[in-house]
Amino acid sequence: MKYMYFLWFLLGCTAMSYAQTATITSQNSNKPIEAAVLLCEHPKLSAITNARGQADVSAFKDATKIQIRSLGFKTKNLSYAELESANFQIALEQSTLDLDEVVISGTRWRQSTSEVPSRVVSISTKDVELQNPQTAADLLGVSGEVFIQKSQQGGGSPMIRGFATNRLLYTIDGVRMNTAIFRGGNVQNVISLDPFATESTEVLFGPGSVIYGSDAIGGVMSFQTLTPQLSLTDEVLVTGKALTRYSSANKEKTGHVDVNIGWKKWSLVTSFSSWDFDHLRQGSHGPDDYIKGIYPQRQDSTDVIITQDDPLLQVPSAYSQINMMQKVRFKPNENWDIQYGLHYSETSPYGRYDRHNRYRNGTLRYAVWDYGPQRWMMNNLNVSHQAKQGIYDQVSLRLAQQSFEESRIDRALNDNELNDNAEDVQAYSVNLDFTKELASKHVLFYGAEYVVNDVTSTGSITDINSGQSQVGPARYPNSTWSSIAVYVNDEYDVSDKLTLQGGLRYNQYILDADFSNNTDFYPFPFSKAEINDGALTGSLGGVYRPSEKWAIRANLGTAFRAPNVDDIGKVFDSEPGAVTVPNPDLQAEYAYNADIGVAKFFGDYVKVDFAAYYTILENAMVRRDYTINGQDSIMYQGELSQVQAIQNAARAHVYGVQFGVEVKLPKGFVFTSDLNYQVGEEELDDGSTSSSRHAAPMFGVSRLRYQANDLTLELNAIYQAERSYADLAEDERSKDEIYAKDANGNNYSPAWYTANIKAMYQLNKTFSVSGGVENITDQRYRPYSSGISGAGRNFFMALRADF
């Protein structure tokens, strides 16, 4: 115990040290700027302003160049001496155009995008306030560069550069969210995150395996939740916000509150959010194929088909959700920072709408096809230390435990047997990340990671008449998946205009699966499966800045995805008449990527941003026909089904371009547009090729925004190009429940657009109101590969109080 007292004495011995506070305000309104970043490259230092625009800059005392940045404002570069001569009061000029941003996702440490070879975009909190996304999936869509697929209202599966699901990576406060049961089909885990409790959102495009490991092939989505803010004065800092919102298309009723209480060394932040969504109403102008107009209902021990009074309602699609977060921060001095976070999210059960649209023998196939409550909990402890000597300048230790619960419940129409598959994943991770400045031109980022996932899967069959239950087939084997890795990344400033960055990572992954929970139901020729293999990935890139007006970035990178429990062990109905069975002989798939990007200012009024990329996926894990004990078909849920399995059976490639333009117009107007075009091709068994399922059609968003004083107005259009039957992926063409019919009666995804108007007004220092009309022309549309249509004409309004 005496050692514990000694440690706390060391941490607190400098608590009386002098703190110098800088205040950052808006030059136009004189209001404090929250979350402005002060960044120094030599030495590596960063600070963020609190709700009063204040930041402790004591550690910057010897800095000759401090960048002061905030989205929507011009960057200022000052030395500490200049900051001191300004009495530590800095006003930033508003500007919609900026070449650089401060991001975390590139290396897990704050740095300017001018040093990151990969393309990274940030979604500002101001954009989130104006756009009012209902879920974290919708929040990603605000970027205009991430395509969102939905199988039901309670969902949202991002697609980035032709990849999706388990070929993309999610991180929350630096912690990996992907689990061993992330599937190749669409995943809904992102809705567990709370957009109101999100401080910053970043999307890194392209491979990120050097820093993040398995799954980071198409990109990395990094969410940073609210950071507890300390008081920089003798007064207790109490800040927060409260919000309520209503939307007409799904009768949304949403409420949120968060409160921050900060002292000099301790701070707390508490957040709570609640959502309630009714069935989603689609638009009145569009393909009739999207109208179902009926739903099943149990009456007197019989399933009866009910005709809806309003055929545009998508029944069942209603659901509700709650999110809670509690964070505690202790910062005894400028060198140590300790933060603990507890996150919890739970949804109600919700119907998978596309499965409710499946027909058999001329009527609905299912009476029930629901996801059970989706629950996520994370405990996260982060300890950071700055040393500026020895083997590191900064070190961060993250210890995290996550719990994931999900289930699938289905019953065929007028069948008495209700099938229930439940999954529980306990995920544990340790991340140790270091930075070290070598001389004045090299910065080394290095670290180690250890991840363990324990998967428990159960199945049951219940007779709904008698209430009797028995053990049924499980979706997965009971399994343990683990990953051990080390990485190093070097940033080298060749000159003031050129920065190079290269890195390597070695990853060992281990999987142990026990199929004994399913051997009584399926004729597997094995009872266990083991994988123990390694993967080496690397990247090399650079950023060249000929002047302050433009930047050129190029990057070569590799990435990998290790086989997980979903790949080797899942049993499920992949499509009508087919069943996917386990395959224990899988290996990792590898991606090889090249991309180049150019961003340039033309005068002070136009910014053009362009990126092109090409990715090859080798040894791709894809679903193909298979045999089990020599049989190519087995009985599954009472139906003779073609046997399929995930196999290393394909080579795929994806290429595309991303284009953006921003134009500063007179009188407070700004025009922006983002366009994304990608092509994906995948090898089939016979050597021919098919379109890749997750390469979305061309899509984008264009915005005309007006801002003056306390008012912001925006008119925007969101759009998607057509995906014809010939260009659909081979396994997508038979999905009648998802797509519309073309003139030849074949499935296809029609082009669509929505026109939207949104506004936000600051009533006074405390209250603001936002609202608007989405899908003004009431289009009936369905984003590519989605099983549910988007909202019809939607009126929404939100009232917010900041204190």
Side-chain angles (χ1 to χ4, degrees), residues 221-238:
M221 291 157 285
S222 174
F223 299 85
Q224 180 67 42
T225 60
L226 297 173
T227 301
Q229 298 178 356
L230 299 164
S231 175
L232 300 178
T233 68
D234 292 331
E235 296 180 0
V236 177
L237 176 69
V238 180

Side-chain angles (χ1 to χ4, degrees), residues 480-493:
T480 299
W481 183 93
S482 58
S483 167
I484 307 168
V486 292
Y487 78 91
V488 61
N489 197 68
D490 182 40
E491 178 187 300
Y492 174 46
D493 290 328

Side-chain angles (χ1 to χ4, degrees), residues 204-457:
L204 182 149
F205 293 88
S209 282
V210 169
I211 303 298
Y212 296 100
S214 179
D215 303 1
I217 290 178
V220 177
M221 291 157 285
S222 174
F223 299 85
Q224 180 67 42
T225 60
L226 297 173
T227 301
Q229 298 178 356
L230 299 164
S231 175
L232 300 178
T233 68
D234 292 331
E235 296 180 0
V236 177
L237 176 69
V238 180
T239 60
K241 65 177 179 288
L243 179 144
T244 183
R245 184 174 64 208
Y246 177 82
S247 300
S248 63
N250 52 8
K251 299 180 181 177
E252 175 202 12
K253 294 177 284 293
T254 289
H256 167 80
V257 63
D258 64 70
V259 179
N260 182 99
I261 304 175
W263 297 268
K264 284 193 172 182
K265 293 189 291 183
W266 290 88
S267 59
L268 312 169
V269 63
T270 303
S271 172
F272 177 81
S273 300
S274 173
W275 296 264
D276 184 79
F277 304 106
D278 205 340
H279 304 300
L280 181 63
R281 188 182 191 276
Q282 59 186 326
S284 57
H285 307 295
D288 291 340
D289 304 295
Y290 296 156
I291 299 176
K292 178 162 64 77
I294 57 174
Y295 64 93
Q297 188 179 88
R298 191 74 172 174
Q299 297 181 0
D300 299 326
S301 301
T302 302
D303 293 325
V304 177
I305 303 299
I306 304 296
T307 300
Q308 298 172 195
D309 293 333
D310 183 354
L312 298 181
L313 280 180
Q314 298 175 97
V315 182
S317 60
Y319 83 104
S320 59
Q321 180 174 332
I322 59 167
N323 275 65
M324 295 177 284
M325 183 185 75
Q326 178 64 59
K327 281 190 171 184
V328 181
R329 182 182 185 187
F330 176 53
K331 197 174 190 300
N333 53 59
E334 65 181 32
N335 293 325
W336 289 91
D337 196 344
I338 303 169
Q339 297 186 40
Y340 165 75
L342 170 64
H343 305 256
Y344 181 77
S345 173
E346 180 176 349
T347 72
S348 66
Y350 51 90
R352 179 164 172 178
Y353 186 73
D354 61 341
R355 292 299 176 97
H356 279 274
N357 281 350
R358 286 189 174 177
Y359 284 75
R360 182 167 61 182
N361 299 327
T363 189
L364 294 177
R365 177 173 180 173
Y366 293 105
V368 177
W369 212 116
D370 295 341
Y371 286 111
Q374 178 174 292
R375 300 184 180 94
W376 170 66
M377 182 181 72
M378 180 171 77
N379 292 277
N380 178 23
L381 177 66
N382 185 10
V383 181
S384 300
H385 181 241
Q386 296 184 124
K388 301 180 185 176
Q389 59 185 353
I391 64 170
Y392 65 86
D393 295 335
Q394 297 171 290
V395 61
S396 173
L397 172 66
R398 290 182 181 86
L399 306 175
Q401 178 271 332
Q402 297 180 82
S403 175
F404 301 83
E405 295 180 26
E406 59 185 56
S407 59
R408 294 161 178 80
I409 305 157
D410 69 84
R411 182 174 63 83
L413 193 72
N414 284 315
D415 192 324
N416 294 329
E417 290 188 346
L418 183 74
N419 303 296
D420 189 340
N421 289 103
E423 278 70 58
D424 178 277
V425 179
Q426 298 297 316
Y428 309 90
S429 61
V430 180
N431 289 90
L432 190 59
D433 300 299
F434 301 88
T435 68
K436 179 64 180 177
E437 188 172 2
L438 305 176
S440 61
K441 291 182 175 291
H442 284 275
V443 178
L444 206 62
F445 304 91
Y446 63 101
E449 180 184 67
Y450 179 58
V451 178
V452 176
N453 282 194
D454 289 326
V455 179
T456 302
S457 183

Side-chain angles (χ1 to χ4, degrees), residues 662-680:
E662 299 179 49
V663 182
K664 185 177 180 181
L665 301 169
K667 307 295 185 180
F669 285 93
V670 175
F671 173 78
T672 68
S673 188
D674 289 287
L675 193 64
N676 306 269
Y677 175 78
Q678 51 273 309
V679 176

Side-chain angles (χ1 to χ4, degrees), residues 451-469:
V451 178
V452 176
N453 282 194
D454 289 326
V455 179
T456 302
S457 183
T458 59
S460 66
I461 301 173
T462 301
D463 187 305
I464 61 173
N465 289 330
S466 66
Q468 296 295 312
S469 294

Side-chain angles (χ1 to χ4, degrees), residues 35-256:
V37 178
L38 292 85
L39 190 68
C40 178
E41 295 302 327
H42 305 292
K44 282 281 185 183
L45 295 169
S46 65
I48 299 180
T49 57
N50 61 21
R52 294 176 181 172
Q54 300 171 330
D56 183 357
V57 294
S58 304
F60 292 78
K61 192 168 185 180
D62 298 324
T64 58
K65 182 180 178 181
I66 304 170
Q67 300 177 24
I68 305 174
R69 299 176 175 276
S70 181
L71 284 174
F73 294 88
K74 282 186 177 179
T75 298
K76 272 197 174 181
N77 295 300
L78 301 171
S79 67
Y80 186 86
E82 290 171 323
L83 192 62
E84 188 175 30
S85 66
N87 200 27
F88 299 98
Q89 305 287 321
I90 301 298
L92 298 184
E93 181 183 350
Q94 282 189 340
S95 173
T96 56
L97 306 181
D98 202 350
L99 204 60
D100 298 325
E101 301 173 24
V102 174
V103 296
I104 299 175
S105 55
T107 59
R108 293 186 189 270
W109 298 96
R110 284 192 183 90
Q111 59 186 152
S112 169
T113 52
S114 64
E115 300 162 345
V116 181
S118 298
R119 178 177 174 81
V120 182
V121 299
S122 300
I123 302 170
S124 73
T125 54
K126 288 298 182 184
D127 279 339
V128 174
E129 290 176 33
L130 176 64
Q131 302 300 332
N132 277 282
Q134 293 188 339
T135 68
D138 299 330
L139 167 62
L140 289 167
V142 168
S143 69
E145 300 184 44
V146 178
F147 190 88
I148 304 298
Q149 180 277 350
K150 292 187 179 184
S151 297
Q152 63 280 326
Q153 186 175 200
S157 187
M159 296 181 183
I160 298 175
R161 289 190 171 184
F163 296 100
T165 61
N166 54 18
R167 290 178 180 138
L168 301 175
L169 189 81
Y170 304 84
T171 69
I172 297 87
D173 293 342
V175 177
R176 175 191 183 92
M177 191 184 197
N178 291 40
T179 72
I181 62 171
F182 263 43
R183 55 192 181 273
N186 301 302
V187 295
Q188 321 302 331
N189 300 70
V190 72
I191 69 167
S192 293
L193 306 180
D194 184 352
F196 296 117
T198 300
E199 188 174 79
S200 66
T201 304
E202 298 172 12
V203 182
L204 182 149
F205 293 88
S209 282
V210 169
I211 303 298
Y212 296 100
S214 179
D215 303 1
I217 290 178
V220 177
M221 291 157 285
S222 174
F223 299 85
Q224 180 67 42
T225 60
L226 297 173
T227 301
Q229 298 178 356
L230 299 164
S231 175
L232 300 178
T233 68
D234 292 331
E235 296 180 0
V236 177
L237 176 69
V238 180
T239 60
K241 65 177 179 288
L243 179 144
T244 183
R245 184 174 64 208
Y246 177 82
S247 300
S248 63
N250 52 8
K251 299 180 181 177
E252 175 202 12
K253 294 177 284 293
T254 289
H256 167 80

